[in-house]
Amino acid sequence: MKIILLGAPGAGKGTQATRLAEKYQIPHVSTGDIFRANIKNATPIGVVAKSYIDKGQLVPDEVTVEIVKQRLAESDCEKGFLLDGFPRNTFQAEELDKFASVEKVVNINVDTTKLVKRITGRRVCQCGESYHVDFLNGKTDCAKCGKTLYQRADDNEVTVKERLSVYEKQTAPLIDYYEKAGKLVTINGDQNIDKVFEDIISSL
Ligand code: ADP
Ligand code: AMP
C-alpha cells in the first residue's frame, strides 16, 4: 500500500493519515512533521526549513526530496507508506516517480472558503493527533495521550493565506498529474471525519 494523501492545507490529510496508518499498519510519512521535528532539535535542516515555513512558503526541493528519499528507503516503508504533504509541486512528483512506485493518490477535497477556519482553529499534539477548537469543549489535553495541545506557529491567518496561495499555484496541478497517471481518487473532505475515513477505505 503506497499511498499519497493530496489536498490543500487543512483538508484533513494528517487526521486521516493517523487513522489509516493504524488500520493498515504502515508508516505515516509527513514532511511537515519531519521539518517540525528538525526545528525542535535545532538541526541544520531545521534552521533552513523554519525560514520558509514561517513565511508559508515551500522548503526548497533539494532539501525536501532528499529527506523523503531517505525516509522511504527505511525498512518499515518496504510494504507501504502514507505520504502526507509530499509531493507539493510537479518537480517533487517527478522525482518521487524515480524512487517509489505509488499506487493510489487520495485527493481530499474541501472548499477553500472553509480551510482558513480549519487551520486557524487547529490544535495539535506531539503524538501527531490534530483537533479543532470548535470540538474540544475547552479541553487542552490530547484525548489520545494526555499531553498538552498547542497551536502551530504557522497556523495564523497571515501565513495561512500564503500557504493556500502556494497550494493553488504549485500543488493543485498535481491533481491533473495523477489523474493522467490513472492513480487519482477524489474524496469529499467536507464530511465528518469518520465518513471521510470510510470513503477513503472504500476507494483503496
Ligand atoms: P492537513 O493535515 O490536511 O493540513 P488536518 O488533518 O491537520 O489537515 O486538519 C486540519 C483541521 O481540520 C484540524 O483542526 C482538524 O481537526 C480539522 N478537521 C480534519 N478533518 C475534518 C473534517 N472531516 N471535518 C471537520 N474538521 C476536520
Ligand atoms: P504541513 O505540515 O504539511 O502543513 O507543512 C508545513 C510546512 O512545511 C509547509 O507550509 C512548507 O513550508 C513545509 N513543507 C511541508 N512539506 C513540504 C514539501 N513537500 N515541500 C516543501 N515544503 C514543505
Side-chain angles (χ1 to χ4, degrees):
M1 256 202 186
K2 299 183 175 177
I3 299 164
I4 293 172
L5 291 177
L6 194 65
K13 301 181 296 297
T15 301
Q16 296 301 327
T18 38
R19 285 159 179 77
L20 291 164
E22 204 171 297
K23 179 172 170 69
Y24 295 114
Q25 292 294 302
I26 48 174
H28 168 201
V29 178
S30 154
T31 39
D33 285 350
I34 294 172
F35 287 137
R36 283 183 288 278
N38 274 276
I39 292 170
K40 197 170 167 220
N41 297 321
T43 69
I45 285 176
V47 174
V48 173
K50 187 174 180 337
S51 63
Y52 293 91
I53 293 176
D54 284 350
K55 287 185 279 194
Q57 291 165 3
L58 295 187
V59 178
D61 289 337
E62 58 269 29
V63 178
T64 311
V65 170
E66 195 48 38
I67 280 180
V68 176
K69 194 172 177 183
Q70 283 179 20
R71 180 65 189 91
L72 297 191
E74 286 176 34
S75 58
D76 64 331
C77 291
E78 251 165 47
K79 279 196 297 180
F81 51 77
L82 277 161
L83 269 176
D84 162 11
F86 183 94
R88 255 176 155 100
N89 59 31
T90 308
F91 178 79
Q92 292 181 5
E94 287 167 352
E95 288 300 303
L96 178 66
D97 284 342
K98 296 178 192 165
F99 59 81
S101 47
V102 166
E103 289 145 16
K104 274 259 187 301
V105 178
V106 177
N107 175 35
I108 306 177
N109 186 40
V110 175
D111 199 272
T112 318
T113 53
K114 309 219 165 138
L115 295 172
V116 175
K117 190 168 176 275
R118 275 205 191 184
I119 302 171
T120 53
R122 170 162 56 192
R123 297 295 179 269
V124 294
C125 178
Q126 327 177 326
C127 78
E129 200 61 23
S130 275
Y131 300 87
H132 194 281
V133 278
D134 286 356
F135 302 104
L136 277 167
N137 298 319
K139 285 195 210 77
T140 53
D141 295 340
C142 177
K144 227 175 162 186
C145 75
K147 295 214 178 76
T148 307
L149 302 177
Y150 65 97
Q151 185 168 23
R152 274 171 47 178
D154 60 341
D155 279 352
N156 62 73
E157 214 152 311
V158 176
T159 312
V160 163
K161 295 227 165 92
E162 176 63 15
R163 284 156 66 199
L164 290 173
S165 148
V166 166
Y167 168 79
E168 285 303 332
K169 285 191 209 122
Q170 301 197 48
T171 312
L174 294 182
I175 296 173
D176 211 35
Y177 181 93
Y178 287 116
E179 171 87 338
K180 284 193 178 117
K183 294 180 179 175
L184 192 82
V185 288
T186 294
I187 303 292
N188 175 11
D190 191 10
Q191 313 178 84
N192 71 54
I193 292 170
D194 290 341
K195 182 67 171 73
V196 176
F197 185 57
E198 256 175 50
D199 285 0
I200 294 176
I201 290 167
S202 323
S203 78
L204 293 175

